[in-house]
Amino acid sequence: LVQAQCFDVQRLPSTIMARTLSGLEAESDDASRSGSGLNLSNLTGSDGYDDDDDDDDVVRVPFEHLPDDVYGLTVCSLCRDVYFISRREGRITPRVARIVTSILKVVFTVFAQAYLLIEIKHYVTPSSVYEVRESYSVYERVMYDKTELNIHNHHRGISGFNASRFNDLTPDEREAACLIP
């Protein structure tokens, strides 16, 4: 229901759209009796704009769907609640609470993503890096005539690369060497 308030009528399921349009018709009937209010003719256009309006000061912005995630929820909540607060419609306290909650959800999401990234780097990456270094050390030791040990105690080729030595590697060593990114 929150998404229905933020997205256009075309994305609503048919039952919700029927209820919404019947509610709009009832409001339109009430408004026409009072002499002002809702105009349903604007809803019939393909882009939602009244084609008879030739006002040059109005900027037409095409509709763009919000993403279905916490960022889209926050944008929707901010736009909707700030709009209603600025018009002084309804109580302000629940709207401010919803804005603060939405922003806190985004902050929590960003910190959770950063924490997971750091933990993955700390626990997952070192074993993969170790395996790649070991495989590359074996590859360099076999493929070069002259090697030296680096600070991690792995072989690095200096001179005398010989591609025909690739067959001297075991099948597992060849596969590991070919999988090095």
Side-chain angles (χ1 to χ4, degrees), residues 135-136 138-139 142-143 163-180:
S135 298
Y136 196 65
V138 169
Y139 172 80
V142 171
M143 300 299 286
S164 64
R165 292 185 188 157
F166 189 72
N167 292 330
D168 294 344
L169 294 169
T170 66
D172 290 337
E173 292 171 342
R174 280 189 292 235
E175 183 179 353
C178 289
L179 292 177
I180 295 173

Side-chain angles (χ1 to χ4, degrees), residues 25-44:
E25 289 169 359
E27 286 181 33
S28 177
D29 292 341
D30 294 341
S32 64
R33 284 187 212 115
S34 67
S36 66
L38 184 65
N39 182 4
L40 282 179
S41 64
N42 290 344
L43 292 176
T44 59

